[in-house]
C-alpha cells in the first residue's frame, strides 16, 4: 500500500484536475483554463497539488473513525450522482453523433484522421487478441482491489462484523460489476472501440497530431459531446473525488496494520499508542512520512511504475 500513498494524490493533479480544466477550455474557449491544464502536466504542479492532498489526508486521519466513514459516504453520494448524469447522457448519444461532434470541433475528417494516424504511424491493429486481453485485464482486476480492506478495521465497525462484513465484502463486488458493465457499455457505444484505441495510442506516445489537450479518457471526451460547463467539469471532478477517496482509505488501512504489528510486539509498542479519541496517532505520523516519500518517488522517479503488475499479483 506504500505505492498507493503518493499515487492517488498525484493522479488528482495529473488526471482529474488536468482533465477538468482541459474540458472547461474546450467548452468556453478561455485560455486561462488551458494554461492551468498545461501547468498540471508538470512535475512541479503535480508535487505541489499532491503535497496538499497528502497533508489533507493526514489531518483527516486524526479525526474519529465515524467522521472518516461519514466523509467516505459523502464522497460516494456525490460520485453516484455524477455517475448517473454521465451514464444517462452517454446513453442518448450514438456513435455517429460523437463522430460528427468531433469533426465539427477539430476539423472535417478529424475522427478518421485519428484512426489513420494510429494505423500508419504505430501499426495499430484493432483486433482483440488473447495477449492484449491479458495485459489489459490487469487494470480491470485492479478495480476489484480493496473490497476486503474493511476486514482490517472491522473491530471499529458497529455491530457484529462477522455478519456486516460478510455482506459488505461479498456483496459490494457484485454491485460494482453491475455498475461497471453499464459504464463500459455506454462508453463503447458512444465513443467506439476503434477510436478509444487509436486516440489512446496517439496520446500515450505524445503524438503532436492528437487534437485534444488531455488524454482521451471518457471523462475528457465528454467535452466533445456537451457544451455544458458544469457537466464537463463535474465528470472529471468525479475522478478527483474517486482518487481522494482512495487516498483516504489507502492511508487509513495501513495505519491499522502498523498498529496491529505494534500491538503484537512485532515492532515497538509505542507505535500502538492511541489518543483519547482512539486514533493511533503514532502510526498516522509514521505513514504520513511514508506518504510524502511515496509522493516524491511517484512524481520524480519511475520506481513505482514497475510495480503495477506486482500490485496485481
Amino acid at each position: 500500500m506504500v505505492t498507493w500513498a503518493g499515487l492517488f494524490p498525484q493522479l488528482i493533479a495529473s488526471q482529474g484536475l488536468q482533465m477538468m480544466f482541459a474540458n472547461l477550455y474546450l467548452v468556453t474557449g478561455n485560455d486561462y483554463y488551458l494554461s492551468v491544464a498545461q501547468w498540471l502536466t508538470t512535475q512541479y504542479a503535480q508535487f505541489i497539488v499532491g503535497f496538499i492532498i497528502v497533508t489533507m489526508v493526514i489531518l483527516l486521519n486524526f479525526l474519529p473513525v465515524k467522521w472518516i466513514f461519514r466523509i467516505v459516504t459523502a464522497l460516494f453520494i456525490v460520485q453516484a450522482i455524477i455517475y448517473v448524469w454521465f451514464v444517462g447522457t452517454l446513453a442518448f448519444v450514438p456513435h455517429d453523433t460523437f463522430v460528427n461532434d468531433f469533426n465539427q470541433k477539430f476539423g472535417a475528417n478529424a475522427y478518421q484522421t485519428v484512426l489513420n494516424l494510429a494505423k500508419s504511424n504505430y501499426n495499430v491493429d484493432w483486433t482483440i487478441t488473447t495477449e492484449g486481453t491479458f495485459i489489459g485485464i490487469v487494470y480491470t482486476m485492479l478495480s476489484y482491489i480493496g473490497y476486503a480492506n474493511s476486514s482490517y478495521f472491522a473491530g471499529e465497525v458497529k455491530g457484529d462484523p462477522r455478519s456486516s462484513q460478510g455482506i459488505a465484502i461479498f456483496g459490494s463486488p457484485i454491485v460494482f460489476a453491475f455498475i461497471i458493465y453499464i459504464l463500459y457499455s455506454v462508453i463503447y457505444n458512444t465513443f467506439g472501440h476503434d477510436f478509444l484505441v487509436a486516440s489512446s495510442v496517439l496520446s500515450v506516445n505524445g503524438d503532436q497530431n492528437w487534437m485534444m489537450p488531455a488524454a482521451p479518457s471518457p471523462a475528457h471526451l465528454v467535452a466533445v459531446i456537451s457544451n455544458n460547463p458544469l457537466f464537463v467539469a463535474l465528470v472529471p471532478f468525479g475522478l478527483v473525488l474517486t482518487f481522494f477517496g482512495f487516498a483516504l482509505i489507502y492511508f487509513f488501512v495501513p495505519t491499522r496494520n502498523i498498529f496491529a504489528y505494534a500491538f503484537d510486539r512485532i515492532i515497538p509498542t509505542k507505535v500502538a499508542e492511541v489518543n483519547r479519541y482512539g486514533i493511533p496517532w503514532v502510526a498516522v505520523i509514521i505513514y504520513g512520512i511514508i506518504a510524502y516519500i511515496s509522493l516524491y518517488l511517484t512524481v520524480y522517479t519511475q520506481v513505482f511504475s514497475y510495480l503495477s503488475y506486482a500490485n496485481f499479483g
Side-chain angles (χ1 to χ4, degrees):
M1 289 188 177
V2 169
T3 61
W4 302 116
L7 174 64
F8 290 119
Q10 186 267 347
L11 288 176
I12 287 176
S14 66
Q15 300 290 325
L17 291 176
Q18 199 270 338
M19 288 183 194
M20 185 177 76
F21 283 100
N23 286 3
L24 288 171
Y25 163 71
L26 287 177
V27 299
T28 66
N30 189 328
D31 289 336
Y32 169 76
Y33 294 128
L34 178 61
S35 64
V36 175
Q38 292 173 336
W39 179 71
L40 287 167
T41 63
T42 66
Q43 291 178 317
Y44 173 77
Q46 292 168 15
F47 184 78
I48 293 299
V49 174
F51 189 92
I52 294 172
I53 299 300
V54 169
T55 303
M56 290 174 61
V57 168
I58 293 172
L59 294 175
L60 288 175
N61 272 272
F62 280 110
L63 292 175
V65 172
K66 64 180 180 180
W67 282 103
I68 295 178
F69 288 175
R70 288 170 181 172
I71 292 169
V72 172
T73 301
L75 290 173
F76 174 79
I77 292 172
V78 176
Q79 288 170 279
I81 294 171
I82 295 172
Y83 168 87
V84 170
W85 194 0
F86 175 75
V87 168
T89 299
L90 262 62
F92 294 97
V93 180
H95 181 60
D96 290 343
T97 300
F98 168 72
V99 173
N100 292 332
D101 290 346
F102 191 84
N103 288 338
Q104 287 181 4
K105 279 186 178 290
F106 302 106
N109 298 320
Y111 176 90
Q112 190 60 44
T113 298
V114 171
L115 301 182
N116 294 341
L117 287 170
K119 188 172 184 178
S120 62
N121 294 353
Y122 303 99
N123 298 316
V124 169
D125 182 359
W126 286 277
T127 303
I128 296 177
T129 63
T130 302
E131 179 187 9
T133 299
F134 274 105
I135 292 173
I137 204 172
V138 170
Y139 296 95
T140 304
M141 292 304 295
L142 283 174
S143 299
Y144 281 90
I145 286 181
Y147 286 97
N149 280 348
S150 56
S151 59
Y152 291 112
F153 52 86
E156 299 177 71
V157 178
K158 288 184 178 180
D160 183 359
R162 289 173 299 180
S163 60
S164 64
Q165 295 312 296
I167 296 172
I169 291 173
F170 292 102
S172 53
I174 296 174
V175 174
F176 175 76
F178 178 73
I179 290 173
I180 206 72
Y181 178 79
I182 295 174
L183 187 68
Y184 285 170
S185 296
V186 296
I187 286 172
Y188 271 74
N189 179 66
T190 297
F191 304 123
H193 168 266
D194 291 0
F195 180 82
L196 289 171
V197 172
S199 58
S200 296
V201 169
L202 295 182
S203 177
V204 167
N205 285 282
D207 195 300
Q208 61 181 1
N209 294 300
W210 172 236
M211 299 88 163
M212 300 183 71
S217 161
H220 183 42
L221 294 176
V222 293
V224 175
I225 62 172
S226 174
N227 289 317
N228 184 338
L230 180 61
F231 174 66
V232 301
L234 276 181
V235 173
F237 185 69
L239 289 180
V240 172
L241 297 181
T242 298
F243 295 141
F244 186 81
F246 273 124
L248 182 59
I249 292 301
Y250 276 84
F251 190 102
F252 179 84
V253 171
T255 61
R256 271 53 189 173
N257 290 348
I258 295 171
F259 170 84
Y261 303 155
F263 194 81
D264 292 338
R265 293 179 170 80
I266 296 173
I267 60 178
T269 56
K270 176 69 176 178
V271 180
E273 188 171 310
V274 299
N275 62 18
R276 60 187 178 128
Y277 299 108
I279 307 302
W281 65 274
V282 179
V284 170
I285 291 175
I286 290 173
Y287 198 67
I289 295 170
I290 292 173
Y292 285 122
I293 296 173
S294 173
L295 173 66
Y296 180 87
L297 294 175
T298 300
V299 173
Y300 290 106
T301 76
Q302 297 293 320
V303 61
F304 286 157
S305 66
Y306 294 101
L307 296 178
S308 295
Y309 288 85
N311 278 318
F312 175 66

